[in-house]
Amino acid sequence: MNAVVLSGGGAAGAYQIGVWKALRKIGYKYDIVCGTSVGAINACLMCEKSFNKAIRLWKKLNYNMIFDNKEIDSSKIVTSYAKNILINGGMNPVMLEDNLRKYINVNKIYRSNIDYGLVTVNVTKHKAMNLQKKDIPKDEFLDYVMASSTCFPAFQMKEINNDKYIDGGYSDNLPINLAIKMGADKIIAIDLRKIGLKKTVNKKNMDITYITPKGKIAKVLEFDGKHSKIDIDYGYNDTLKTFNYLDGNIYTFKHNNLKKFIDKNKETYNKLLNKLITNKLVIKNLLKILYINSSDKIFDMLISSIDYLGEIFDIDDSKIYSINNYNKILLNKFNDNYYTNFSKFKLHELLESDKSIYYIYIKIEECIEKNNYDDLSKAIPLFPKQFISALYLYMLKIKDS
């Protein structure tokens, strides 16, 4: 049976809805969903197959949908959390519980042919609870979903039948073993990589596909619908890249678009690299510094450059690009901020990533023009990422000229 396992991660849970969107696109069918904390909430929506409802919920999410208005000051969120932890034992997520009862259809979950599981911790009995749908009384189902989602100490403990419960992340933040116990033999695990304990998978050679964020997703307690929209895009893009429907690492490109571009241009890049660095040991050390040890080193250098330049020049990493369009955006940003007189800058300013890229780019131009590469070879060990990225820009410029 196919299972989807969803980790905890608070406000970053929108990413999991993006993954679900991609799984729907590729026609992936699942028999089991289980999760911890926000993963337990999203698993409810996946169990009842209410995708459009999930999108609406996450896109309108804000602090007032989680907490009582009197408790929260979104402009001073850290202070609000700290104050309530000290005075009240955590924030009271009363509005979250109200909204769960509004958005989650318990009857639909119990009628669903999709099995459901969650993890929480019974503090009163000092016991981790790995619960399946069949284990939970129907009238207490949402109580246990809340128990799994009680991010203590930020949230107050949840009380059920005189026992106190806290977030399942204190036991298992990515409940793969629960899915195995429920009969899964093929698992997609969506790991938001937030704080929480994770247990070792107790069955060897399990077919597990991990999907994890490449971009900077929301912080655990950063409840904001605008960020949720971006995280949904991240989840969608990363999933389609995982299953080879899209290309790229951090940045995302149309299928085969990036590969064709690299295959067409990597020989040019390699020739430039070997022209600038005649000492093979320097190239070897460069690759070592960059942690590149694959069989196709030039491919990895180009991917690394594309991602690094996109970050430096603040290109939106939630969109899907054609590589030609991406390169045009990149060159426009590069040209708009072009530095020519580095004598104006102090040494510490040249250590800034964008300025060091411009500096090395100019050095590359000078070295090739003068056929003298001594100055450049000294800079390479100090600025390895900037060097391979400046070389990528130089390749684009000569290609474009």
Side-chain angles (χ1 to χ4, degrees), residues 67 81 84-85 89-93 150-156 170 221:
F67 309 111
Y81 281 128
N84 277 278
I85 288 169
M91 304 283 285
N92 182 1
T150 301
C151 184
F152 182 80
F155 293 5
Q156 293 174 8
Y170 283 91
L221 298 172

Side-chain angles (χ1 to χ4, degrees), residues 300-340:
D300 285 355
M301 290 173 82
L302 288 167
I303 292 290
S304 178
S305 299
I306 288 166
D307 286 340
Y308 185 67
L309 287 165
E311 180 185 355
I312 295 303
F313 290 103
D314 197 26
I315 297 176
D316 188 345
D317 62 350
S318 67
K319 293 183 177 179
I320 301 170
Y321 296 93
S322 72
I323 186 61
N324 289 335
N325 186 44
Y326 176 88
N327 285 335
K328 284 179 184 177
I329 295 170
L330 179 59
L331 285 174
N332 285 337
K333 286 179 173 282
F334 178 74
N335 292 330
D336 287 346
N337 296 285
Y338 196 71
Y339 300 102
T340 54

Side-chain angles (χ1 to χ4, degrees), residues 2-21:
N2 293 341
V4 178
V5 177
L6 302 98
S7 80
Y15 179 92
Q16 295 171 339
I17 304 304
V19 175
W20 185 15
K21 180 181 177 181

Side-chain angles (χ1 to χ4, degrees), residues 76 130 139 155 167 306 338 394:
K76 299 177 181 177
N130 297 291
D139 61 345
F155 293 5
D167 194 293
I306 288 166
Y338 196 71
Y394 182 79

Side-chain angles (χ1 to χ4, degrees), residues 237-288:
N237 294 348
D238 288 348
T239 303
L240 292 183
K241 284 184 283 190
T242 299
F243 289 99
N244 298 316
Y245 286 84
L246 291 173
D247 292 350
N249 181 33
I250 294 174
Y251 285 83
T252 306
F253 300 91
K254 295 176 182 178
H255 182 52
N256 276 334
N257 187 250
L258 181 60
K259 184 179 183 303
K260 285 179 181 177
F261 171 81
I262 291 178
D263 286 345
K264 184 179 178 181
N265 291 281
K266 66 181 180 180
E267 186 177 345
T268 301
Y269 185 90
N270 193 33
K271 284 180 179 178
L272 287 169
L273 181 67
N274 284 282
K275 185 174 184 178
L276 292 166
I277 309 175
T278 55
N279 188 332
K280 302 300 179 188
L281 183 60
V282 175
I283 294 180
K284 186 176 179 181
N285 288 334
L286 174 65
L287 295 169
K288 189 175 181 181

